[in-house]
Each structure stands twice: as structure tokens, then as C-alpha cells.
Amino acid sequence: MRRFAGSCRFVYNKALALQKENHAAGNKFISYVAMAKYLTAWRNSSETPWLSDTPCSSSQQALIDLDRAFKNFFEKRAGFPKFKRKGTGDAFRYASSKEFKLDKGNDRVFLPKLGWIRYRNSREVVGELRKVTISKSCGKWFASILTRREVELPLPKAATAIGIDVGIARFATLSDGSFIAPLNSFKKHQQRLARYQRRMGRKVKFSSNWRKAKARVQKIHTRIVNARKDFLHKTTAAITQNHVLVCIEDLQVGKMSRSAKGTVEQPGKRVSQKSGLNRAILDQGWGEFRRQLDYKMAWNGGMLLAVPPHHTSQTCPACGHVSEDNRQTQANFQCVNCGYTNHADTVGAINVLERGHRLLACGEMAQSGRSKKQEPAEACRNSSRRAVEISVL
């Protein structure tokens, strides 16, 4: 399996290098069909005879992955494809159900050129088999099986709507006044991780002791990721099962967590404080939280709306007055106009829900504390779900 993953990585990197050389020469982009002819030559070459030991379909899938990466780059959905490193994202795929077999009763799978392999079942495989991806993570191999089946869109069991304001001190504050405490999985393991990283730094690189120290560091990282995923899955499952409409802020996490170092000519200010804030933001997993809410709301027949986040914590939900003075501290909110008081995160969640209702009702956008109304006909054409770039369920 390591050889198969290495062969697919070699094909991906060689094809990427060929694309870069072709672009530097001023030629057109090489499509997948044309690149597959190069793959045939590489497999038959005397310089790389070991490529023929890898299933041909797995090597072709590496080219398909590269072609998809370039399409995402051309459509500005991702950056320019990068070369793959050994030990990072090692995987290979069988793209046809005719290539592998699954014995559910004995918990084993048949893979070409590997034979029958026992596995530890994590969940029931339901539907028609389509593809299987074999990947390595922290020294363990995983089989991800893709299936196809018809699923009826369920009717929502709940009938309530909720607004969510995410933060650092409170992971998620709901508009009903309740909140979810943060897990901070990275913060809990930060000191232990730093200690093992220092030990790895003292070892001779690529030596036997260095590899052992690296395995310990990877194990800690895996614990951090698994704990965060488990926390997010449980949280999103509880929210989506109890509410038919969930409104969240359309936060740009990438921009919020940018470094404040600046340049040599114009160095940034309060760099260490910003670095700690960025670490805390990324530790919460706001992007993964939104992604899970999106597809789980669809599973349960609900809807997810992302609203503009401007001044949600500075707008009074009682009188609508917007002012920085309304938020006296990080946690306390007191309107200078009408005297309304509440927790600042709860106020933000209430305003998020109110903006979600406006978007759902008439496509009304809320920006900088003001409401921008559309004509009824325009609001019908430009639905609220399309306005906030949420897929139509």
C-alpha cells in the first residue's frame, strides 16, 4: 500500500512538473486525455518499471485529481496545485466497483494486487458500491467507501429557528440565551506538543530516533483533530435535530486569522497578541462547524442561512440603535439609547436570527446596521438562499 501510494504521488508530481514546463514554453494546458498518454509511456518506460506494479486505474485517478486541482485554480476556487510530499496525504483510489469486493459478514475487502484484507468496521455500508479510497493517517490505513443510494428528503421534525454567534470565550451562543462552552483541544495539548516537538528537533533528521519522535508528535496532532471533530459532530447534530432554521454569521475565517507581522518596512503591531488570537480562532474550528451545519441541515430537511456579520454585537435588539458604546466590555451589552441589557454574545445571536428572518422573508440584506430593501419582484428572483451563497435544498 505504501508503494501504491508512492506511485500515485510520483505520477501526480511528474504530471504537475510537465504542466509547469508546458506552460513556461507557452503551450496550451494539457488535458487529462492527453496526459493519460504520457502515463502509458511512463508505465512502459525502463526508467520507471515499478509503475506497472501499481493498478492502472489508481494512477489514472492521480491524474484526475491533478486535473480537478487545475480546474479549481482556473475558476479561482483554490490556489495553484502544489507538489505532494512523502508521508503527507498518502492515498490511492479504485474508481470502479468492479475492481474491489466487500465481504460485510467477515469484515474484509478485496483489493486488486493486494487480495483480501481484514478491516475494523466503523459504520454499516449501505447502497451500491462505487469507489474505495485507501489512505494513511498517523501510521494507520483507512478505507473510505463511496456508495450511491436514493434517499427521500425528510420532513423536518422540529419547528423552531435559532441564531448562532460564535466566539472564543463561548464557542457558540444561541439566540435563546443558552451557550456551548469551547473545547480548546489544541490549547489542552499545546505544552505537551511543544515538548515533543523540541525533542524531535534535537534528533538527527531522518534517523531512526527522529522517526520515532515524529510519530509521537503526529499522535498528539491526531488526538487534537479527533477530539475537535468529535466535539463539532456532537454539537452540530444536536443543533440540526432540534431546529428547522439555523442562522449564522458569514465570517471570513481566513481573513480573520491572517498574520499581523507585516513587512520589514512596515512591521505590524501587537503581533504576539494577534498570533494568540489567530491560534484561538483556528482552534475553535468555525469553518468545519459551518460545513457540518450545512449538510446536516439538508439531511434533516432544514435550512442554513449565513447573514452579514456587521455590527451584530453593537445593535440593540430592542430599539435597533447601533453604537460602539452599546458594548461596554467584551461580555456586557447595554444600549445607550433605551437601556436594554444582556450578554453581548446573546445580543449578537438575536440579531443574527433577526437578519436571517429578513433574508428568508423578502431577500432583505442587512449591512452596517441598516436595512437595504429590494423590490418584491427582485426579491423573488434573488432568493435569500442564493443571496448568501447557500445551496438550495
Side-chain angles (χ1 to χ4, degrees):
M1 289 191 289
R2 286 197 299 268
R3 290 203 307 270
F4 289 176
S7 298
C8 294
R9 180 178 63 251
F10 174 84
V11 170
Y12 183 95
N13 291 340
K14 192 172 182 64
L16 177 56
L18 182 61
Q19 291 281 17
K20 297 180 72 173
E21 293 175 1
N22 182 69
H23 177 71
N27 299 324
K28 294 183 178 180
F29 175 76
I30 304 176
S31 64
Y32 163 74
V33 177
M35 189 65 73
K37 298 180 180 179
Y38 287 96
L39 176 61
T40 303
W42 298 338
R43 289 174 61 88
N44 297 330
S45 175
S46 58
E47 298 179 358
T48 55
W50 39 270
L51 278 181
S52 59
D53 297 336
T54 303
C56 183
S57 62
S58 299
S59 301
Q60 292 172 349
Q61 289 298 308
L63 296 181
I64 292 176
D65 291 342
L66 179 62
D67 188 69
R68 186 183 300 111
F70 270 107
K71 287 182 179 179
N72 292 335
F73 169 70
F74 294 148
E75 297 177 6
K76 298 182 179 180
R77 292 196 300 263
F80 190 84
K82 298 181 180 179
F83 292 102
K84 291 187 177 182
R85 297 177 56 187
K86 182 179 179 180
T88 302
D90 291 342
F92 58 97
R93 184 185 310 115
Y94 298 99
S96 175
S97 58
K98 299 179 180 179
E99 294 185 89
F100 67 99
K101 303 176 184 178
L102 189 64
D103 185 2
K104 302 179 183 179
N106 297 315
D107 290 342
R108 60 177 188 165
V109 59
F110 178 83
L111 302 176
K113 297 190 177 184
L114 292 174
W116 287 101
I117 301 177
R118 295 291 301 272
Y119 66 87
R120 182 176 298 173
N121 193 24
S122 61
R123 60 180 299 181
E124 188 67 22
V125 180
V126 182
E128 178 187 355
L129 301 180
R130 303 296 294 175
K131 300 179 182 179
V132 59
T133 302
I134 312 300
S135 59
K136 184 180 180 182
S137 177
C138 195
K140 297 181 180 180
W141 290 91
F142 297 87
S144 176
I145 301 175
L146 176 67
T147 64
R148 182 175 65 182
R149 61 191 176 104
E150 294 183 1
V151 180
E152 294 183 0
L153 185 63
L155 295 176
K157 299 179 181 179
T160 58
I162 200 74
I164 302 177
D165 181 84
V166 294
I168 303 298
R170 291 181 172 185
F171 171 73
T173 304
L174 308 184
S175 56
D176 59 4
S178 61
F179 68 93
I180 301 170
L183 178 65
N184 296 327
S185 59
F186 179 81
K187 187 177 181 180
K188 292 180 180 178
H189 297 82
Q190 186 175 0
Q191 294 183 353
R192 186 164 177 261
L193 177 63
R195 183 168 66 251
Y196 279 97
Q197 286 177 332
R198 287 193 296 268
R199 292 180 183 179
M200 186 181 71
R202 300 189 190 104
K203 305 293 189 297
V204 178
K205 201 170 185 179
F206 301 116
S207 65
S208 179
N209 290 333
W210 180 85
R211 297 181 189 277
K212 294 178 183 178
K214 181 182 178 182
R216 297 189 187 99
V217 173
Q218 290 178 337
K219 188 175 182 180
I220 298 175
H221 276 296
T222 303
R223 285 184 178 179
I224 294 172
V225 173
N226 290 342
R228 184 184 296 119
K229 285 184 177 180
D230 178 73
F231 169 76
L232 293 176
H233 275 295
K234 291 179 179 178
T235 302
T236 53
I239 292 174
T240 55
Q241 291 172 4
N242 297 324
H243 305 284
V244 69
L245 174 64
V246 175
C247 304
I248 61 174
E249 293 177 305
D250 188 14
L251 298 176
Q252 304 297 322
V253 181
K255 295 180 180 179
M256 294 174 62
S257 57
R258 283 181 179 174
S259 174
K261 290 183 178 180
T263 61
V264 178
E265 294 78 11
Q266 296 180 349
K269 299 180 180 179
R270 301 174 64 88
V271 177
S272 59
Q273 292 85 342
K274 186 63 170 62
S275 176
L277 177 61
N278 294 348
R279 191 182 304 113
I281 291 175
L282 297 176
D283 192 14
Q284 304 303 316
W286 291 345
E288 179 66 11
F289 178 68
R290 174 174 172 174
R291 187 189 72 86
Q292 292 185 14
L293 282 177
D294 191 6
Y295 73 81
K296 289 184 180 180
M297 289 301 297
W299 283 358
N300 292 280
M303 183 186 300
L304 176 69
L305 290 179
V307 303
H310 308 294
H311 308 298
T312 53
S313 298
Q314 298 176 1
T315 304
C316 178
C319 66
H321 180 70
V322 182
S323 175
E324 295 181 358
D325 299 331
N326 288 345
R327 192 166 184 175
Q328 302 292 336
T329 63
Q330 185 67 24
N332 297 328
F333 178 93
Q334 184 175 6
C335 181
V336 296
N337 185 43
C338 66
Y340 174 84
T341 60
N342 204 336
H343 194 282
D345 294 338
T346 303
V347 171
I350 294 174
N351 289 325
V352 167
L353 177 60
E354 189 269 339
R355 292 183 182 183
H357 282 153
R358 276 190 277 163
L359 282 170
L360 186 63
C362 56
E364 185 176 338
M365 297 293 289
Q367 298 178 352
S368 302
R370 298 180 181 179
S371 61
K372 181 180 179 181
K373 296 184 178 180
Q374 299 177 336
E375 295 297 330
E378 182 183 356
C380 294
R381 291 193 304 268
N382 187 19
S383 70
S384 59
R385 286 168 290 181
R386 194 178 301 112
V388 293
E389 299 182 358
I390 297 296
S391 58
V392 178
L393 304 180

